Amino acid sequence: MTMIKTTIPKEWKITKAFECIDVRDGTHATPKPVTDGIPLITSKNIIKGKLTLVDFYNVSNEDAREINKRSQVVIGDILISMIGTVGEAAIIIDKPNFVVKNVGIFKTGSKEILSSFLVKQFHSKYLQNKIQSLSSGGIQKFISLGQLRKLPILLPPLPEQEKIVEVLETWNSYLDKLAEAIELKKKVKKGLMESLLSGKTQLKGFNDSWHKIKLSEACTINPKSNILPTEFVYIDLESVEKGLLKKERIIKLENAPSRAQRKLKKRDILFQMVRPYQKNNLYFTRDGDYVASTGYAQIRTQNNPEFLYHILHTETFVNRVLDKCTGSNYPAINSTDLGEIEIKLPIIEEQTAIAQILTAADQEIEALEKRKGLIEQQRRFLLNNMITGKLRLPEFIKNKPSDRFADLNKTIKKSKL
């Protein structure tokens, strides 16, 4: 067995992939597509550790049989992207109803390594860094079968492999539950928006009629700015994502781009004018000097701004915006046309009550997403350190486990959705 120099626990072994795994080449000539047939999976169908059938075409049964003579896959096989998104890896968990192309196929079939452990190894920095260093090409990167066969594979004892997989799967399961909870909250909020922002359902204690007016009558669009500050945080179209200010870049006035013109006040709204279907808008609540790009419409209102902000995210409003947009690749609307769109407004007290309900829903979703982000960071830490033996489970070492691992291990047990 070829030994490769690296630091691992003394009970572990390390070897090249071809010495413990059947590594096959899933590359071949591209068969003709057919309307009905067998799906052809390629490297682009391996996304974030999972196989997806979002972009594929079918091949004939005859071509599928020819492909399978060389590169048939079964449950437990691991597929590795060899072109483009090099190194993406997924394990086959159900009986495959497809054939493959431009992928590496790892068939463990070995008493030394579990498929479930090997795929975790492919998801870790350890193997990803090695794969990226061995890949070639520019925009369209690729890695050869020969390079995949030489990858250094870590081999803990099988009982330790099983426990590592068990721990990591526990964290994955919790992340899946968080994702489900977030999607449920989003569906509930969407239902509330459709009901409360249309006026179809009024909150208890409110029965005044809603009145229809143009957006420009409900607010001021692009209010004239005072002289810009000598230094400010610049908000461009890349700064906001789904209602959150993701990055803050401080610039001096003399270095500011010409589009930096919208000086913000608390409770202003920024509405994305280019590709408005993305809904990357912002309800601004911060102190300090902030200036936004003219790629946004700046909205200032005497109505409840949070209510108006939610109105701007309804499907009805966004569809009306898109009807007035020009351009195909980058549809955009101008501020005049935006102001012509009609909305329905209740009295200010009802606006405030509705806004409080919807904002509370947003806050619940944001809290769950923050928790999910934290758990993802902790899972990555465990993955990268347990796979390489830097962090080990207590039953496999004589010395006391690190406090950091103990703290992380308690997180799952204490966390509740």
Side-chain angles (χ1 to χ4, degrees):
M1 181 175 287
T2 303
M3 299 306 296
I4 304 165
K5 188 176 180 181
T6 192
T7 303
I8 57 173
K10 63 181 181 179
E11 302 92 342
W12 292 31
K13 295 185 290 187
I14 185 169
T15 182
K16 291 182 179 178
F18 74 88
E19 295 181 305
C20 65
I21 302 165
D22 178 6
V23 186
R24 300 186 184 181
D25 187 355
T27 61
H28 46 75
T30 304
K32 292 181 179 180
V34 298
T35 303
D36 296 313
I38 308 299
L40 179 69
I41 292 292
T42 65
S43 289
K44 64 184 177 182
N45 296 110
I46 309 174
I47 302 173
K48 295 183 178 179
K50 295 182 179 180
L51 291 174
T52 175
L53 293 177
V54 295
D55 186 11
F56 70 98
Y57 64 83
N58 296 317
V59 299
S60 68
N61 290 334
E62 183 180 353
D63 283 333
R65 284 192 293 271
E66 286 301 313
I67 291 169
N68 280 337
K69 286 179 181 179
R70 177 177 177 182
S71 53
Q72 185 172 15
V73 293
V74 298
I75 293 174
D77 285 352
I78 297 169
L79 304 183
I80 308 297
S81 173
M82 296 178 68
I83 297 177
T85 54
V86 171
E88 285 281 355
I91 189 170
I92 299 176
I93 58 176
D94 297 309
K95 184 177 179 180
N97 61 342
F98 54 82
V99 291
V100 299
K101 179 182 185 297
N102 292 339
V103 296
I105 305 167
F106 282 66
K107 295 176 171 290
T108 56
S110 166
K111 296 180 180 180
E112 289 189 291
I113 190 164
L114 302 171
S115 292
S116 54
F117 177 78
L118 180 59
V119 75
K120 295 287 188 293
Q121 204 166 142
F122 272 110
H123 293 159
S124 71
K125 282 185 179 179
Y126 168 72
L127 271 188
Q128 280 300 310
N129 288 343
K130 295 186 183 302
I131 290 171
Q132 297 309 316
S133 68
L134 294 172
S135 62
S136 307
I139 298 176
Q140 184 79 332
K141 298 180 71 175
F142 64 90
I143 189 168
S144 69
L145 176 66
Q147 297 287 18
L148 287 178
R149 287 170 57 82
K150 294 176 184 177
L151 286 174
I153 303 298
L154 299 175
L155 297 174
L158 283 175
E160 190 164 0
Q161 291 183 37
E162 291 172 350
K163 292 300 292 184
I164 290 172
V165 170
E166 182 183 330
V167 169
L168 294 176
E169 283 302 315
T170 299
W171 287 68
N172 286 341
S173 176
Y174 183 63
L175 283 169
D176 289 341
K177 289 179 181 178
L178 277 174
E180 290 173 5
I182 290 168
E183 286 307 307
L184 178 60
K185 291 285 185 183
K186 286 181 177 179
K187 287 181 180 178
V188 170
K189 191 212 165 184
K190 184 178 180 180
L192 286 171
M193 288 179 67
E194 290 176 355
S195 176
L196 296 178
L197 295 177
S198 64
K200 294 176 182 177
T201 302
Q202 288 189 276
L203 296 173
K204 187 176 180 179
F206 296 100
N207 51 27
D208 292 275
S209 299
W210 291 36
H211 57 285
K212 186 179 290 187
I213 62 173
K214 293 178 180 179
L215 181 62
S216 59
E217 297 172 334
C219 64
T220 302
I221 300 177
N222 298 335
K224 291 183 179 180
S225 297
N226 298 323
I227 298 173
L228 298 181
T230 57
E231 186 177 86
F232 52 83
V233 176
Y234 179 51
I235 301 177
D236 61 16
L237 289 176
E238 305 300 319
S239 303
V240 179
E241 184 179 337
K242 305 300 181 185
L244 298 176
L245 186 56
K246 291 291 190 178
K247 62 179 182 179
E248 298 189 19
R249 178 164 60 101
I250 299 175
I251 61 174
K252 294 186 181 296
L253 180 59
E254 60 265 29
N255 299 324
S258 60
R259 294 174 69 86
Q261 295 182 23
R262 314 261 192 248
K263 184 179 179 183
L264 298 178
K265 289 177 62 175
K266 260 188 176 181
R267 294 165 64 83
D268 279 352
I269 299 168
L270 291 179
F271 182 82
Q272 181 183 3
M273 304 280 275
V274 181
R275 291 181 287 187
Y277 55 82
Q278 293 179 332
K279 300 182 182 179
N280 290 330
N281 309 315
L282 180 68
Y283 177 55
F284 182 73
T285 59
R286 305 201 179 190
D287 293 310
D289 292 324
Y290 286 75
V291 175
S293 164
T294 53
Y296 295 103
Q298 180 183 4
I299 295 173
R300 190 171 294 163
T301 183
Q302 295 300 315
N303 288 283
N304 185 291
E306 289 181 276
F307 177 86
L308 191 58
Y309 177 75
H310 290 299
I311 283 282
L312 301 181
H313 289 81
T314 60
E315 293 301 320
T316 299
F317 185 84
V318 172
N319 288 336
R320 288 173 181 166
V321 171
L322 292 174
D323 287 341
K324 291 180 175 290
C325 281
T326 58
S328 54
N329 293 333
Y330 297 93
I333 188 170
N334 61 55
S335 58
T336 300
D337 288 341
L338 181 67
E340 290 295 311
I341 297 175
E342 290 186 330
I343 61 173
K344 292 174 67 177
L345 285 181
I347 60 174
I348 189 70
E349 292 81 7
E350 191 170 359
Q351 292 179 34
T352 300
I354 292 171
Q356 287 174 345
I357 292 172
L358 296 177
T359 299
D362 280 338
Q363 290 170 346
E364 290 179 3
I365 293 169
E366 185 179 350
L368 283 173
E369 287 179 334
K370 284 183 178 178
R371 187 190 303 181
K372 182 170 176 280
L374 176 62
I375 297 298
E376 284 175 339
Q377 289 178 5
Q378 294 172 340
R379 184 195 64 83
R380 283 195 297 271
F381 170 81
L382 286 177
L383 171 67
N384 292 323
N385 287 277
M386 293 183 75
I387 285 296
T388 56
K390 293 179 182 177
L391 187 65
R392 302 183 72 192
L393 291 160
E395 57 261 49
F396 297 104
I397 54 176
K398 295 180 180 179
N399 298 325
K400 182 181 177 181
S402 69
D403 290 336
R404 187 172 185 185
F405 175 77
D407 291 341
L408 287 170
N409 201 30
K410 290 176 182 176
T411 302
I412 284 292
K413 295 179 180 179
K414 291 184 176 180
S415 296
K416 295 181 180 180
L417 290 179

